Amino acid sequence: MVDIRWDAHSCVPLTADYDLASLKRHRDAGFDYVSINVGMDMTPLSDIVSMLASFREQIARSPDFIAARSIEDVRVAARQGKLAVGFDLEGSVPLLANPSTLALYAELGVRQVLLAYNRANEAAGGCYEVGAPLTALGEAFVRACEEAGIVVDCSHMNEETVMRIMEVARKPLVFSHSNARVLNGNLRNITDDMIEACAGLDGVIGVNGIGAFLPGGEAEADAMIQVIDYLAARVGTRHIGVGLDYVYDPELDYLPEGEDPAYWFPPEFGYGEGFFKTLGFVTPEAAGALGARLAERGYGGDDIAAIMGGNFLRVAEQCWSRR
């Protein structure tokens, strides 16, 4: 059996004309699968549709990529030295308050959805608005995700919303790109209660490579390992993965016209004037070498294989098939 290397979330500029050839860096770094963002709560639906059309076409034409329609596609990519690519949505505004849209997004290659991006919407509460709850619509979205074969992602949301999602869910959940708040107090990171609830549903926490969310505030692979060590001690290696949140070519990405960066990326939580353009990121190359660093720290081969991809693969095997 081939070990699968899995990055549960990274980003490209949210524009349909972006060249996905840059993702070859993920493949060359040893990853077999990456999920890339195709929209957030503030992204116009027309832009999301254009990106999905463009990115699907680029993947179909590329000799380096495979569209991740199923787990077998990921395994084929690993055997052939290619990169399987899936899509994710960061926020439920693009769902148009209609749970039935999730089945359509699943057909288009969306494999993972979180319900609110940093701020509250009509379905859920974002991490920077403490106390905003999961609504009845949000509960319907959770059930519709599970029926459509989409993983429910709890990153970017507040504790009240997340803990309610954990009560509603019938399948494992993930934090695709979140770190431990005890090691870095940014509200984008997750509490011990959130960590333990995720593990209780046999879910996975993807360790994030953005410096602002790592111990010490620096984008270093050793800081990611500190998070891995903490999670391993808290809930075991079965519930740890990589969700790098690397942003390709951030100078090409812009918020939609009229959006206030300080609203979505509050300066008091470490975002510079140019929001994510000023953040530091652990690179795909550095993340790809995490396995070797973990071995040096005494982690066993099975644990390393689980952290580097096997755990997220397990969740996908349970969640991607339709009910």
Side-chain angles (χ1 to χ4, degrees):
M1 182 70 69
V2 176
D3 287 341
I4 300 296
R5 299 293 185 94
W6 189 291
D7 177 6
H9 177 78
S10 278
C11 302
V12 299
L14 293 177
T15 176
D17 60 3
Y18 183 72
D19 186 352
L20 291 185
S22 61
L23 291 178
K24 286 189 284 185
R25 283 181 59 192
H26 259 76
R27 184 202 62 185
D28 294 344
F31 288 97
D32 304 300
Y33 173 84
V34 65
S35 180
I36 59 171
N37 178 11
V38 291
M40 300 183 285
D41 268 342
M42 79 293 288
T43 310
L45 183 60
S46 58
D47 290 359
I48 294 172
V49 172
S50 295
M51 277 183 282
L52 283 167
S54 171
F55 293 172
R56 282 163 51 91
E57 181 181 12
Q58 289 186 58
I59 292 166
R61 286 191 284 104
S62 173
D64 301 304
F65 305 142
I66 291 177
R69 295 176 296 269
S70 67
I71 293 298
E72 182 57 25
D73 290 324
V74 179
R75 296 192 186 280
V76 168
R79 291 196 296 267
Q80 296 181 354
K82 298 183 179 183
L83 180 71
V85 182
F87 305 132
D88 59 71
L89 285 174
E90 294 191 283
S92 60
V93 172
L95 304 180
L96 305 177
N98 182 356
S100 297
T101 59
L102 283 155
L104 174 60
Y105 277 113
E107 290 292 333
L108 295 174
V110 172
R111 294 287 167 263
Q112 187 172 285
V113 170
L114 60 88
L115 300 185
Y117 184 83
N118 288 353
R119 297 296 189 177
N121 58 34
E122 61 185 335
C127 59
Y128 295 128
E129 290 177 327
V130 177
L134 184 74
T135 68
L137 177 62
E139 293 184 14
F141 282 150
V142 172
R143 290 189 288 269
C145 280
E146 293 183 333
E147 291 169 359
I150 290 174
V151 176
V152 178
D153 182 359
C154 293
S155 292
H156 285 278
M157 292 185 287
N158 66 35
E159 187 169 31
E160 181 177 355
T161 283
V162 167
M163 299 306 278
R164 178 57 185 154
I165 288 174
M166 299 288 181
E167 294 173 353
V168 173
R170 298 182 179 90
K171 293 185 178 182
L173 304 168
V174 304
F175 292 95
S176 69
H177 55 296
S178 296
N179 293 337
R181 196 178 298 178
V182 70
L183 301 178
N184 179 310
N186 194 303
L187 296 183
R188 255 287 285 117
N189 289 331
I190 58 177
T191 66
D192 286 350
D193 285 346
M194 295 158 84
I195 290 166
E196 291 169 1
C198 180
L201 288 174
D202 205 23
V204 181
I205 297 140
V207 177
N208 184 303
I210 292 181
F213 309 137
L214 283 166
E218 298 294 331
E220 301 288 346
D222 285 345
M224 291 183 69
I225 290 176
Q226 288 183 54
V227 181
I228 291 170
D229 286 345
Y230 180 80
L231 295 173
R234 192 88 196 179
V235 294
T237 56
R238 182 176 174 84
H239 306 293
I240 308 170
V242 175
L244 193 56
D245 207 8
Y246 183 74
V247 177
Y248 281 94
D249 299 308
E251 72 279 0
L252 301 179
D253 206 5
Y254 296 91
L255 284 178
E257 186 175 355
E259 295 289 346
D260 179 10
Y263 174 73
W264 296 103
F265 306 98
E268 62 268 30
F269 291 104
Y271 300 95
E273 185 175 347
F275 46 105
F276 58 83
K277 297 178 190 295
T278 64
L279 295 175
F281 302 94
V282 175
T283 66
E285 293 79 11
L290 282 173
R293 287 174 176 251
L294 291 170
E296 292 171 357
R297 292 182 68 81
Y299 284 80
D302 289 345
D303 287 334
I304 293 170
I307 292 167
M308 294 303 296
N311 291 329
F312 273 123
L313 177 68
R314 179 190 77 247
V315 170
E317 286 175 329
Q318 295 178 69
C319 295
W320 282 11
S321 61
R322 294 192 173 193
R323 293 174 65 183

